[in-house]
Amino acid sequence: MKRSNTFLSSISKKYIMALAGMFLMLFLVFHLSTNLLMLVGDGEAFERAVEFLTLNPAVKIMEYVLFAGFLIHIALGFVLMIHNYRARPVKYHRPLRTETSPFSRFMFHTGMIILVFLVFHFLHFFFVKLGWVDMPAGVSDRHDFYSMAVILFQNPLYSALYWLSFVFLGFHLKHAFQSAFQSLGLNHTKYTPAIKVIGTIYAILISVGFAIIPFYFLFIYSP
Ligand code: HEM
């Protein structure tokens, strides 16, 4: 009885984690679309979008939902990792050859790298907006993300750290996409191969899409 309870709760944890993950994947589409506006007409369209989002009370509420989504997803990631570790019956001396892909085996590790990236990312954008961190020299408004992006991404090391993070983000998303469908019970011999292909395309578009922004400010942008 206890066993089946544990099993059921681990299924529901996976279910909630998948729902939170899907929400985060939608956020990434929205976040990327807004940020790509930085590349259009000296960032005027981006600034108008930021102004609209900053003044919109619905966006403020969504920000709380977003952070709740992140916290739930990360907390359940830890719980499931510990659960899986404890459930391993024998500690083999030599690792077994498994059918699982490296993307699925390293979900926890790539997730941790994204978490470190997020802390780093918040220190330079989100926490500046909140007034928790000083603005970089040369920026006079806490909401002037465009000038912050110009200053930060023109530093090759800063851009390189972002690119590296986007590689791990891509690996994480590639498996996350199909895994979310599976956890929600939406897998089917007919549709699962298509879901895998769409997941791979999604992961590539998101990571390459984000990577274009530092590339633009480092190599193309001229003041
Ligand atoms: C070149 C890539 C990126 C740029 C230029 C960028 C830019 C920004 C900016 C300007 C903000 C502040 C927006 C505001 O608070 O109103 C922000 C916040 C945020 N970013 Fe990014 N971002 C990038 C990549 C990412 C990635 C890959 C993730 C997730 C893995 C992410 C997650 C977040 C989150 C959760 C927030 C706080 C919520 C929000 O304000 O919307 N960002 N980012």
Side-chain angles (χ1 to χ4, degrees), residues 74-181:
I74 294 164
L76 288 179
F78 269 103
V79 172
L80 284 170
M81 201 274 290
I82 294 167
H83 175 91
N84 290 345
Y85 185 79
R86 285 199 182 141
R88 280 198 306 190
V90 186
K91 307 243 170 354
Y92 296 100
H93 290 295
R94 264 188 301 164
L96 285 178
R97 280 184 181 279
T98 60
E99 292 294 310
T100 51
S101 73
F103 300 109
S104 79
R105 263 180 282 143
F106 293 114
M107 281 309 270
F108 183 76
H109 309 77
T110 50
M112 282 300 100
I113 294 170
I114 297 166
L115 184 59
V116 172
F117 161 78
L118 272 181
V119 174
F120 182 73
H121 181 49
F122 281 9
L123 281 172
H124 298 105
F125 288 100
F126 191 60
F127 292 167
V128 176
K129 173 179 103 170
L130 298 182
W132 296 358
V133 172
D134 287 342
M135 287 176 278
V139 178
S140 52
D141 180 347
R142 290 189 283 121
H143 294 94
D144 185 1
F145 302 126
Y146 186 79
S147 304
M148 291 176 209
V150 171
I151 293 169
L152 293 167
F153 292 131
Q154 285 193 335
N155 176 342
L157 185 63
Y158 191 85
S159 283
L161 282 172
Y162 264 63
W163 286 324
L164 191 64
S165 308
F166 298 151
V167 171
F168 292 110
L169 176 68
F171 288 159
H172 193 79
L173 293 175
K174 186 206 173 309
H175 180 72
F177 194 92
Q178 64 172 81
S179 172
F181 277 85

Side-chain angles (χ1 to χ4, degrees), residues 13-97:
K13 276 185 211 114
K14 285 204 104 191
Y15 203 90
I16 297 168
M17 196 172 172
L19 281 180
M22 277 191 159
F23 174 67
L24 297 177
M25 286 192 282
L26 273 178
F27 159 74
L28 282 180
V29 174
F30 175 76
H31 195 48
L32 175 60
S33 322
T34 321
N35 285 326
L36 281 177
L37 291 176
M38 284 184 179
L39 315 188
V40 187
D42 288 335
E44 282 150 30
F46 173 74
E47 271 153 24
R48 274 203 301 278
V50 169
E51 197 181 335
F52 170 76
L53 295 173
T54 313
L55 297 175
N56 194 325
V59 174
K60 196 90 223 129
I61 296 168
M62 278 316 283
E63 228 168 53
Y64 289 112
V65 179
L66 176 68
F67 285 110
F70 264 112
L71 286 180
I72 292 168
H73 188 76
I74 294 164
L76 288 179
F78 269 103
V79 172
L80 284 170
M81 201 274 290
I82 294 167
H83 175 91
N84 290 345
Y85 185 79
R86 285 199 182 141
R88 280 198 306 190
V90 186
K91 307 243 170 354
Y92 296 100
H93 290 295
R94 264 188 301 164
L96 285 178
R97 280 184 181 279

